[in-house]
Amino acid sequence: MTIDSCRGVRVRGLRVQNAQQMHVTVSRSRGVRVAGLRIDAPEDSPNTDGIHVAESTAVTIQSCRIGTGDDCISIVNGSFGVKMRDIDCGPGHGIR
């Protein structure tokens, strides 16, 4: 699932399984709130980030259970103001 060039998006209570790469991507967006997601992929699946945030501001991620073969949450490319709380991560490489 990709949220691209958006403002004020709210995502709540989804379950995402076995994406070929990143499960949820937030890019070039502002004021996105993600809550209550469950993301699952096998521990040995490469490049399967749970939530990937790029070039975004004021992103809140809370109350999520993320188990993947790569990063649970990755934050890259000029993102700032990203807040996280109550994240259950594993297996996976954590938050980068």
Side-chain angles (χ1 to χ4, degrees):
M1 179 177 78
T2 300
I3 299 166
D4 185 32
S5 302
C6 296
R7 290 181 182 259
V9 172
R10 304 291 185 256
V11 178
R12 180 179 215 87
L14 292 180
R15 183 169 186 177
V16 184
Q17 289 183 280
N18 301 326
Q20 291 182 2
Q21 290 193 335
M22 296 171 192
H23 288 74
V24 176
T25 300
V26 178
S27 63
R28 298 178 294 188
S29 296
R30 179 178 182 84
V32 174
R33 181 178 297 268
V34 176
L37 267 63
R38 170 135 189 176
I39 298 173
D40 295 299
E43 185 174 355
D44 62 349
S45 56
N47 302 318
T48 55
D49 288 0
I51 300 173
H52 181 76
V53 181
E55 300 177 61
S56 296
T57 60
V59 175
T60 301
I61 303 167
Q62 66 184 35
S63 303
C64 294
R65 163 67 178 99
I66 305 168
T68 66
D70 204 352
D71 300 327
C72 291
I73 299 172
S74 56
I75 305 166
V76 299
N77 298 353
S79 295
F80 62 94
V82 178
K83 297 178 183 178
M84 295 167 278
R85 66 178 249 192
D86 191 25
I87 306 298
D88 184 0
C89 174
H93 300 151
I95 299 170
R96 297 183 192 214

